[in-house]
Amino acid sequence: MPIHTNVLTTVDHNRDSADMTYVYPVISRRAGGVSVGINLNPNNACNWRCVYCQVPDLKRGAPPEIELKKLEAELRGFLLELLHGDFMVKRVPPEARRINDIALSGNGEPTSAKEFADVILLIGKLMREFDLIGKIKLVLITNGSLVNRGYVQQGLKHMAGLNGEVWFKLDSATAEGMRRINGSRIGLQRVQENLRVAASLCPTWLQTCVFGMDGQAPSNEEQHAYLEMIKKLVSEEAGVKGVLLYGLARPSMQKEASRLSALPEEWLLSYANKIREAGLEVRESL
């Protein structure tokens, strides 16, 4: 298995860094170790178009058919290299030389792959083979728009037994904000319904990216709508574990890139405190 020799950093999330179709390694600033990435969208297709997305040549659409045997071979071979080879020594900084999770993220929405539930079963098989269940997490990073589909719900049920965790994207709680930030016209009621379903099937965190646009932080109206949604989720006991709040760390590859900017640390920490006051735990990544 050919592998590049450059040392990984938290700003290098290149999906081609291990010369494989579906599997790639990253150093995750949120996870705090090596995250084994699973990219089910090698054609750079997604059903959303987030303005901060780091995927070049992003297009609307769904992934091609997943070659499950190829995915299994790549993941098994890479786990062998991580656990018994010299990958950690050659490419990972000493402070991050541990496998923290297997994460389905990649270059588009993972749950748009019709084979999603089969992929989760395959990953579970290899986690058992390498005695990783209960020792690392299995993370799904998703925009949550397809949680109403049966095969996605089946996959989430499988994840729950594999120390699974859903990171459900919620960058805005207004229809205008979702159109502007995510290029999505999904209704807010559907967002909340999908979130409740996800949380009922597998431990679920909200994942929220905050940033400046045209030099302006999220408006008071945007903040208010977001905090009110948090309060509603708490009051309804929706089961959401908390919020993963983060700012811009890598440059966008979308046409809006020049309009985006990282917010001051003080702003992000202040917003995190407002979310805590609304009733949910917050983990910040500056």
Side-chain angles (χ1 to χ4, degrees):
M1 179 176 61
I3 294 179
H4 297 175
T5 57
N6 59 297
V7 175
L8 295 173
T9 71
T10 58
V11 296
D12 177 15
H13 283 212
N14 181 4
R15 276 38 161 183
D16 300 319
S17 63
D19 294 312
M20 291 182 282
T21 300
Y22 299 114
V23 178
Y24 64 98
V26 296
I27 305 296
S28 173
R29 63 191 174 124
R30 279 169 283 173
V34 175
S35 179
V36 180
I38 305 294
N39 178 21
L40 300 183
N41 304 74
N43 60 343
N44 295 0
C46 188
N47 64 339
W48 284 17
R49 194 191 73 80
C50 300
V51 295
Y52 54 78
C53 184
Q54 294 99 27
V55 176
D57 303 316
L58 183 69
K59 60 184 179 182
R60 294 276 191 172
E65 181 179 354
I66 305 301
E67 299 177 56
L68 293 171
K69 289 185 178 179
K70 184 174 186 178
L71 171 58
E72 180 175 357
E74 288 186 356
L75 183 54
R76 177 180 284 111
F78 191 59
L79 288 173
L80 276 171
E81 181 67 24
L82 280 177
L83 294 168
H84 305 295
D86 58 6
F87 183 90
M88 289 286 194
V89 173
K90 286 186 174 181
R91 297 203 53 203
V92 180
E95 67 276 8
R97 287 176 184 165
R98 62 186 177 280
I99 304 177
N100 192 84
D101 59 49
I102 296 174
L104 291 105
S105 176
N107 290 8
E109 173 51 41
T111 64
S112 59
K114 299 297 189 296
E115 302 85 356
F116 176 73
D118 293 328
V119 168
I120 300 301
L121 288 175
L122 186 159
I123 294 172
K125 170 187 170 181
L126 292 178
M127 289 178 71
R128 283 187 288 272
E129 182 178 316
F130 286 91
D131 190 28
L132 293 174
I133 295 179
K135 297 179 180 178
I136 68 171
K137 286 188 175 297
L138 173 59
V139 177
L140 168 66
I141 302 174
T142 176
N143 61 34
S145 61
L146 306 177
V147 167
N148 58 312
R149 297 186 177 182
Y151 71 87
V152 177
Q153 294 180 20
Q154 192 63 41
L156 296 184
K157 291 176 184 177
H158 295 325
M159 282 187 62
L162 298 170
N163 197 24
E165 197 167 87
V166 176
W167 293 2
F168 191 113
K169 183 188 298 294
L170 181 67
D171 298 322
S172 172
T174 71
E176 189 280 329
M178 292 189 69
R179 286 194 296 270
R180 175 170 47 85
I181 297 172
N182 308 121
S184 170
R185 293 186 177 275
I186 187 173
L188 290 171
Q189 183 174 347
R190 171 57 62 84
V191 171
Q192 294 177 57
E193 290 173 355
N194 284 354
L195 179 56
R196 293 185 188 97
V197 170
S200 73
L201 298 174
C202 187
T204 298
W205 289 73
L206 290 175
Q207 179 186 239
T208 299
C209 182
V210 289
F211 53 90
M213 194 164 190
D214 298 325
Q216 300 296 315
S219 67
N220 290 334
E221 292 77 14
E222 278 287 332
Q223 295 179 55
H224 177 76
Y226 183 93
L227 295 171
E228 287 301 305
M229 180 177 284
I230 295 298
K231 292 175 183 177
K232 183 177 181 182
L233 292 170
V234 171
S235 68
E236 294 177 351
E237 298 183 344
V240 177
K241 299 296 182 181
V243 176
L244 305 171
L245 184 69
Y246 66 107
L248 295 181
R250 302 181 301 279
S252 167
M253 298 297 289
Q254 308 313 309
K255 63 183 181 180
E256 295 88 352
S258 64
R259 300 173 59 194
L260 310 183
S261 58
L263 293 170
E265 179 179 335
E266 295 77 9
W267 192 99
L268 191 144
L269 293 176
S270 174
Y271 195 43
N273 285 331
K274 292 177 183 178
I275 297 171
R276 291 188 183 96
E277 290 171 0
L280 282 183
E281 177 184 348
V282 183
R283 296 178 184 171
E284 311 99 328
S285 295
L286 305 177

